[in-house]
Structure formats: C-alpha cells, structure tokens
Amino acid sequence: MANRERTNGQTPRDGARWDYSPAPEARNIVKIKPRYGLFINGEFVEPKSGQYFTTINPANEEVLAEVAYAGPEDVDRAVRAAREAYEKIWSKLPGKERAKYLFRIARIIQERSREFAVLESLDGGKPIRESRDVDIPLASAHFFYHAGWADKLEYAFHGRRPRPLGVAGQIIPWNFPLLMAAWKIAPALACGNTVVLKPAETTPLTALLLCEVFQQAELPPGVVNIITGDGQTGAWLVQHPDLDKIAFTGSTEVGKKIQKAVAGTRKRLTLELGGKAANVIFEDAAIDQAIEGIVNGIYFNQGHVCCAGSRLLVEESIYEVVVRKLKRRIELLRVGDPLDKNTDVGAINSLMQLRKIEHLVQVGVQEGAEIHQSSCPLPERGYWFRPTFFTRVSMAHTIAREEIFGPVLAVLTFRTPEEAAEIANNTRYGLSAGVWTNKGSKYLAFASRLKAGVVWCNTYNKFDPASPFGGYKESGFGREGGIHGLSAYVASGEW
Ligand code: NAI
Ligand code: MG
C-alpha cells in the first residue's frame, strides 16, 4: 500500500520496477569484533598456527573481521576437547538434560535473531528478507525440534537402545551458514554426540556468534567446538583419526574427496552435495503462481541453493506465455543492498563464485542458447550478477547439466509427462524437484517417477525440521531433518 501511495495510486508501467525508498536494516544492531579466535573447550582461543584470515562483505568488499586459521594442531586440540566432553559429560547426561540446553539455544537464537540476520546478510550477501524470514527462524526451529527428540529417542527407534556415535566432524558451506550449522549441530547433540564444526571461509561470522549463544546457554565446554579455516583445515579435520562421524555439505567434488579419505576407517559419513533440480510446469498449472515459485526457486538467495530449481521444464503448449511472464518478472526483481528490506536478489557470495557463474553463462552463449537478462542497475562495488535465463536449451548444453549456483535458469520444453520425467532424471544429481499442476493425481503419479530426495508440489524451497532432506546419485547420501536425520547420529545394531 505504502508503495502505491508513493506512486500516486498508479501501478508502474508494464516491465518497470517499483520505485521504493531505501529501507535499510540497522547495521549497528550487531557488534562485530575486529578479530576472532577459535572456539575450543567453551572459550575463544588464539590459534596455535598463529595465522588469521579476513572475511569480507561481498556487497561492498569491506573487510568485516579477522578470523583465526586452524592448523593441524588446532584441529587436534578441538577434537580432543570434543572427545573429553563426550566421555566425561555429554554422553552421560540423560536426554531430558540435553534437551534443556537445546531449548535454551533455540530460545536465545530467537531472542538475538535480528543480530543473526544482519550478520548473515553482511558476511554472505544474502538479502535481509531471506536471512530474517528464512535462515534464522529455521535455524532456531531446528534446535527446538531436536530438543523435543533428545529425551524420546527410544520412541524414534522402537525396540532399540539408541546410543550416540561419539565425536562428529562437520563441514559446512557458505550458502546457509547459520542454518547449516544448526542442521549439523542440533541432531548430533540431541543424540548425545559432541562436535567439531568448520564453517566456510567466506561466511564464518554467524557460527562464531553462535558460540556466544553456547556460552550464554552454559553449554558444557567442549560439547561444540568451532574451528575456522579453509578447505585444508577441512581436510585435516576429515583425516583426524579420533572422529566417529563426518557430515559434509558442499560441492560434489569435495564430497568425493572426503568419501575417499574416510574409506576403510570407522568414520560414518553423510554427504549433502550439489543439485540440478528440474522445476516442471504442466499446462494446467496456475501460471502466475508457478512464475512466483520459479523465481523463488532460482533467483532468491542468488541461486546459491543446492536444491535451486535451476532447470525449468515447460509443457510446450504454454511455453510462450511462461517465457513472456518470466521476462517481465525478472525485470521487476530488485537487485542490490542485502541490508535493504526491499531487496530481492543480493550479492554473489565471493569473487570466485562470481567468476564461475560468469564463465558458465559465457559457455551457454557460446553453445548457442539464447540469453535473457534483467536490465536492472547494479551497484558499482561488490559482486553482482543479473537475474538471467536461457531459452533454446537442450540437455546437451553445459548450462543444463552443470551446477551453476547462481541466479541463472535454463528453460527446456516437453510434450508428455514421460518426456518430462526423462529430462528431469537425466542428470548426475538428484536432490530436489518441483511440479506445478492443478491435478493432485497427476502430481502423485509424476512425483513418484522422479529420482529426487525432495519433490515440491505447487511450491518451492519449503523447509521444515521434521522433513528429511537429502539426495539421490551424486547429490549425496544420508538425510538431514526428521527421524531419518536423527538416525545418522545414533549407533546402528543396538537392538
Ligand atoms: P566447497 O565444497 O569447496 O566448500 C564447502 C566446505 O568444504 C567449505 O567449508 C570448505 O572450506 C570445505 N572444504 C573445501 N575443500 C575441502 C576438503 N578437501 N576437505 C574438507 N573440506 C573441504 O565449495 P566451494 O568451493 O565453496 O564452491 C564450489 C561449488 O560447490 C559451488 O560453485 C557450488 O556449485 C557447489 N556448492 C554446493 C553447495 C551445496 O550446498 N550443495 C554449497 C557450496 C557450494
Ligand atoms: Mg564474508
């Protein structure tokens, strides 16, 4: 409404963006320290490596803080702290006591949600609307959900005596930094395990703020240890001999390396890797709703989503209208300051990721696909990419096969459900898919043919801590969330 008032009750002309006044979230709500140590045994300590690295705001390239670089000695120190906490404290606590800590953590995240949201947007470039409405509430919900399970594990695993595995090494990516930390830590702790977690090098700050929450919640020292560093730090963690479990979310390439590194050891492994999801729109779908779902599936969060709907499969009879509406809709997306509450598409997370997106888009053009891009203005500093889609694409095109992990959609067409299922499954990945139709029976029949861990119907990117999430094929194995996610943190064979 406010928007209408500003434009004197007129709607903008077709294809024009709404003219909003800037509505920035207050940045000073969160205090960023100039330098962060490693969080080991309940306190921040200097790294034995003596090294630090910087993390920047990708929206303006400003340095936000220096962060400790964990070397092999630091990794060892963190694993020892986790082992001691496991043996002396955490594995001996009754489930209902563990639950109290998880509840407290969930509550404190809620209380400090604005700090977390601003920090997440500053460090990673995602719009505040996403971090405020999606990432942080879901992270808190994940701790609440698992607090509920901690004293009811016997009900989750009927007839078994669920036991913890021990110490888990967990490595997470930069696209949902706090949420991925919650997905990893909450089920591990609920089941009685202790943790050493390594956040991604471009987005360590919300995990470090979470350490303050652990202190506030008086979580016993050593139950969660957070070590910052790069891929090498991650590799040292994976190789540490005293871990019982590795959980990884990130690229398929690194997932394969990790699988090789743990082969033949006692370490249990779950991998959540890349995706190339198909979003399938049938002619009987509510097209405007579907367009919103498609936009939500690929452009929000800059396409930095492993389950992003990066291939759009359109039934041939509605192709023209879908492409026309999509062109108009991407023109209306507001790209810019992640801290502005009106921003739809924020900054690309890193220069490296921007270069990867630019390269793959260039390949798309070279291979003959037709490119459509928003004409929106882009800020001068920082890493940005215009909302983009390609038509005249076939599965032979690189852009229809490779994970781009940016705001880039490949549009393909189909004539029959059989053909749609064949194209959707013609990928080395299998994390997610979307189906748009007004017929429930059609959805059910079609979804059961898809080799994807999650299939959304008439919606996209919906998450709930009670729903298991995970992949087929090279998207990895193991599930996170729900009872399936819990089972990845309890010892098997204890019937
Ligand atoms: P990455 O897989 O290298 O990074 C993810 C995490 O793994 C980070 O914490 C990193 O430090 C760590 N890591 C890197 N090498 C490691 C190793 N050898 N051993 C243990 N840990 C290691 O992902 P990156 O390079 O940031 O992005 C590359 C591509 O991966 C993206 O363009 C995207 O296509 C995909 N990706 C997929 C994600 C997903 O959620 N499935 C998340 C992030 C990236
Ligand atoms: Mg950063």
Side-chain angles (χ1 to χ4, degrees):
M1 277 319 283
N3 180 42
R4 274 188 178 229
E5 278 151 28
R6 255 181 249 124
T7 52
N8 299 326
Q10 288 170 351
T11 52
R13 84 197 135 71
D14 197 34
R17 267 175 297 279
W18 288 97
D19 193 15
Y20 284 81
S21 303
E25 177 65 79
R27 185 201 151 132
N28 58 10
I29 187 159
V30 61
K31 253 183 82 194
I32 304 179
K33 294 181 203 156
R35 193 180 239 214
Y36 290 84
L38 303 168
F39 187 72
I40 297 177
N41 213 18
E43 54 186 14
F44 286 98
V45 297
E46 302 260 309
K48 292 210 163 133
S49 73
Q51 292 176 45
Y52 288 82
F53 63 99
T54 56
T55 183
I56 65 163
N57 175 352
N60 58 16
E61 299 166 60
E62 169 203 0
V63 172
L64 294 170
E66 283 196 333
V67 178
Y69 181 85
E73 275 183 289
D74 298 302
V75 171
D76 185 53
R77 204 162 140 208
V79 175
R80 281 169 197 269
R83 176 61 61 190
E84 198 174 315
Y86 174 73
E87 283 181 355
K88 297 205 174 135
I89 307 168
W90 201 245
S91 64
K92 296 198 170 138
L93 272 189
K96 69 174 192 210
E97 294 303 317
R98 295 198 304 272
K100 287 182 193 167
Y101 289 105
L102 291 169
F103 269 119
R104 262 187 232 165
I105 294 164
R107 287 292 302 274
I108 300 170
I109 294 174
Q110 279 187 326
E111 283 161 17
R112 302 184 67 174
S113 60
R114 283 186 69 200
E115 276 173 81
F116 272 108
V118 170
L119 193 58
E120 200 73 301
S121 287
L122 281 172
D123 202 15
K126 67 170 63 195
I128 187 78
R129 206 181 59 199
E130 289 278 305
S131 42
R132 182 196 61 196
D133 298 347
V134 181
D135 295 59
I136 313 304
L138 277 175
S140 170
H142 224 73
F143 279 104
F144 273 122
Y145 175 79
H146 287 92
W149 272 127
D151 62 346
K152 302 175 197 70
L153 295 173
E154 285 79 8
Y155 299 93
F157 306 102
H158 296 290
R160 282 168 65 176
R161 275 197 310 147
R163 299 248 182 95
L165 295 171
V167 180
Q170 307 179 320
I171 298 168
I172 56 170
W174 41 262
N175 53 345
F176 291 88
L178 183 72
L179 183 59
M180 288 301 106
W183 277 27
K184 296 279 179 285
I185 295 170
L189 264 47
C191 297
N193 305 275
T194 61
V195 162
V196 178
L197 176 129
K198 193 200 84 68
E201 47 271 48
T202 57
T203 54
L205 295 182
T206 46
L208 293 168
L209 185 58
L210 187 60
C211 299
E212 287 180 26
V213 171
F214 297 146
Q215 288 176 327
Q216 233 179 311
E218 295 176 9
L219 186 71
V223 172
V224 178
N225 305 274
I226 296 199
I227 54 169
T228 41
D230 61 5
Q232 182 59 61
T233 306
W236 285 320
L237 181 60
V238 168
Q239 285 154 18
H240 196 287
D242 197 26
L243 291 175
D244 303 288
K245 152 102 190 170
I246 302 286
F248 173 76
T249 298
S251 62
T252 293
E253 189 194 344
V254 172
K256 286 180 183 178
K257 282 190 202 161
I258 292 177
Q259 194 171 8
K260 281 184 191 143
V262 305
T265 71
R266 72 167 193 267
K267 292 166 197 162
R268 299 243 305 231
L269 179 65
T270 42
L271 297 174
E272 198 261 276
L273 310 174
K276 193 75 188 174
N279 212 350
V280 182
I281 163 166
F282 287 100
E283 66 174 6
D284 57 39
I287 295 183
D288 288 328
Q289 280 174 36
I291 296 287
E292 285 313 300
I294 292 157
V295 165
N296 175 28
I298 187 68
Y299 298 121
F300 291 172
N301 213 26
Q302 301 72 249
H304 295 339
V305 186
C306 46
C307 50
S310 53
R311 290 181 298 155
L312 176 64
L313 274 53
V314 187
E315 189 156 4
E316 217 171 69
S317 50
I318 53 166
Y319 173 75
E320 312 254 307
V321 59
V322 167
V323 168
R324 179 163 44 79
K325 283 176 185 272
L326 196 56
K327 262 188 204 166
R328 178 163 186 276
R329 187 62 182 89
I330 68 166
E331 270 304 312
L332 299 175
L333 290 172
R334 288 173 298 264
V335 182
D337 182 6
L339 283 193
D340 193 313
K341 292 167 197 142
N342 294 323
T343 293
D344 294 313
V345 182
I348 301 302
N349 184 268
S350 66
L351 185 59
M352 202 178 81
Q353 189 59 31
L354 178 62
R355 293 286 177 260
K356 179 181 167 184
I357 297 166
E358 286 169 346
H359 168 70
L360 284 165
V361 165
Q362 203 188 346
V363 171
V365 173
Q366 278 163 5
E367 290 181 358
E370 187 176 336
I371 187 168
H372 308 266
Q373 279 188 312
S374 160
S375 65
C376 62
L378 295 182
E380 274 174 23
R381 299 204 57 190
Y383 314 134
W384 306 95
F385 200 83
R386 290 174 203 288
T388 300
F389 70 91
F390 281 100
T391 50
R392 298 180 195 278
V393 182
S394 76
M395 281 310 295
H397 285 95
T398 306
I399 50 165
R401 294 195 314 269
E402 297 279 311
E403 183 177 51
I404 301 175
F405 226 67
V408 181
L409 177 67
V411 183
L412 299 105
T413 58
F414 67 88
R415 287 182 185 169
T416 61
E418 290 68 34
E419 193 190 358
E422 200 174 299
I423 300 172
N425 290 333
N426 182 6
T427 164
R428 64 188 174 112
Y429 298 113
L431 199 50
S432 59
V435 183
W436 299 84
T437 169
N438 73 1
K439 294 191 177 59
S441 55
K442 191 166 180 176
Y443 162 71
L444 291 171
F446 185 72
S448 63
R449 306 168 77 137
L450 297 179
K451 295 206 165 23
V454 181
V455 183
W456 286 291
C457 180
N458 293 339
T459 187
Y460 208 86
N461 276 347
K462 283 277 180 297
F463 293 93
D464 187 291
S467 298
F469 182 86
Y472 276 57
K473 299 192 269 184
E474 289 187 32
S475 289
F477 47 79
R479 294 290 179 266
E480 293 184 290
I483 293 179
H484 303 76
L486 280 178
S487 69
Y489 286 94
V490 297
S492 50
E494 306 258 344
W495 294 86

